[in-house]
Amino acid sequence: LAMQAAVGVLQRMPRSAWLIRGKLARCFMAGRSARSLHVFVSAGEPSGDMLAAATMRAIREQSPEEVTFSGIGGELMKKEGLDPIFDMSELSVMGIFELIPHLPRLWRRLNEAISSAAQAKPDILLTVDSKGFNNRLLRALKQRDAMRDTTFVHLVGPSVWAYKGDHRKTKAFLSAHLDLLLVLFPFETAHFEHHVPVTCIGPHILEYEHVRTLLSSPPPPPPLTCASRPPTGRRTRTPSSWRLSLL
């Protein structure tokens, strides 16, 4: 079922969304003057590092001018040209009790990110997932006069489709703080399109040719399990050749 669903998603996606190119770049480049483009990126998790790195690569490949990146990220983002203000590993804390001793450092890093972004006055502020940190970053920067000309973009929509309720607070936050929301799957757009401009760019894993080939091929047959019982009914006398299990 999972394979069939993935094939369906792949078939419905426009080709430009497969590689996180074209559509994404046009959203970012629309109305930009012919000058260097500065993007401030904030990602706080390994999955965000992968998504942000693919997005940075797409922006750079589509931009006719030089693109510079600064912000918070990991090794993959650094390979794509990120000039980090600090490594995203400093934001990786799990658990409530584990979080408490790190709160002073996390607040200090949040304030550092706010000051750095406001000073840089980027053309685009791109936050990737990590809503605990990035929502606070968006809330603080949206109020700054220095960010008046900045386009606020968030990648990976909240999973409102997975929980009951109308999620008014979440959607109101997106409407008030974002200029564009980028989601990974087509069905997600219906949940946000009445509150914020939204574009489906496709999951970054579809960049890889072997993944697209795998998803485009027919799904494998279901597992076959065959077991025979001995005439005597005694399991201890069942030859191993009588039992067949294909997993």
Side-chain angles (χ1 to χ4, degrees), residues 5-208:
V7 171
V9 169
L10 179 65
Q11 292 173 342
R12 290 193 297 272
M13 280 185 179
R15 185 169 180 80
S16 60
W18 288 5
L19 307 182
I20 318 183
R21 286 166 170 78
K23 180 183 291 187
L24 170 61
R26 287 195 295 274
C27 291
F28 281 170
M29 304 307 164
R32 294 292 174 188
S33 59
R35 60 182 177 83
S36 61
L37 185 73
H38 183 203
V39 184
F40 188 96
V41 192
S42 174
E45 301 169 349
S47 59
D49 186 37
M50 290 189 291
L51 281 169
T55 305
M56 291 165 62
R57 183 165 59 252
I59 296 172
R60 189 178 60 252
E61 291 178 358
Q62 293 291 324
S63 174
E65 301 297 326
E66 179 186 4
V67 184
T68 58
F69 299 98
S70 63
I72 308 158
E75 295 302 320
L76 295 177
M77 294 169 65
K78 292 175 185 176
K79 291 179 181 178
E80 297 298 333
L82 179 74
D83 180 15
I85 57 175
F86 58 83
D87 192 271
M88 72 175 191
S89 60
E90 298 198 35
L91 305 179
S92 300
V93 180
M94 299 191 63
I96 298 177
F97 296 105
E98 292 82 355
L99 174 66
I100 295 175
H102 299 282
L103 282 176
R105 189 192 75 230
L106 293 174
W107 281 113
R108 186 168 62 250
R109 289 307 193 188
L110 175 61
N111 290 329
E112 185 178 346
I114 294 170
S115 299
S116 179
Q119 184 177 0
K121 299 180 181 179
D123 297 293
I124 299 166
L125 174 71
L126 174 63
T127 54
V128 184
D129 213 355
S130 302
K131 67 177 184 179
F133 183 87
N134 283 330
N135 282 5
R136 291 175 172 82
L137 182 65
L138 288 169
R139 186 179 292 112
L141 290 174
K142 194 65 175 180
Q143 302 172 358
R144 298 290 183 100
D145 291 337
M147 306 291 288
R148 214 168 10 185
D149 298 324
T150 298
T151 300
F152 285 72
V153 183
H154 184 72
L155 174 55
V156 183
S159 301
V160 296
W161 45 270
Y163 305 96
K164 293 182 179 180
D166 56 9
H167 306 281
R168 292 183 182 180
K169 291 184 178 180
T170 299
K171 294 175 180 178
F173 177 86
L174 298 177
S175 178
H177 296 88
L178 293 181
D179 299 303
L180 177 65
L181 175 65
L182 303 175
V183 296
L184 303 182
F185 300 101
F187 71 86
E188 294 181 278
T189 59
H191 294 275
F192 304 107
E193 60 188 359
H194 298 299
H195 304 275
V196 62
V198 57
T199 295
C200 173
I201 63 171
H204 76 287
I205 193 172
L206 296 180
E207 282 195 309
Y208 304 107

